[in-house]
Amino acid sequence: CLPREAMAEHLSAAFGERIVAQGITAGGRLLQLWSAADGATWSAVIVSGATACMAADGDSFELFSGRDL
C-alpha cells in the first residue's frame, strides 16, 4: 500500500497506466481499474481515504464498452 498520490505516480511512470474505470465497493471503498493505453498492463487498486492498495495486476487488458460479450 502507498499514499494515493504515490500509487498514481508509480502506475503512471512505471507502466504508463491511467484510470479507465472506477466504482464503489459494497464496503464503501473506491475500486479503480488502471490500464496502459495498449492494454499491455493493468492494475486494480482499492482506495480507502488517502491510502491506495494494489488488489491485482496483470496483462492483456481489454475494455468492453457497450459491446455484447
Side-chain angles (χ1 to χ4, degrees):
C1 295
L2 295 170
R4 186 176 183 172
E5 291 179 13
M7 179 69 79
E9 184 177 318
H10 171 70
L11 293 175
S12 178
F15 304 104
E17 294 182 1
R18 64 180 181 83
I19 298 171
V20 296
Q22 66 181 20
I24 305 298
T25 69
R29 294 185 177 136
L30 177 64
L31 169 66
Q32 296 179 326
L33 296 177
W34 292 67
S35 177
D38 63 1
T41 63
W42 63 268
S43 304
V45 176
I46 299 287
V47 179
S48 182
T51 302
C53 298
M54 185 73 65
D57 59 32
D59 57 34
S60 303
F61 183 81
E62 230 180 309
L63 185 63
F64 294 97
S65 178
R67 296 189 294 176
D68 290 333
L69 299 177

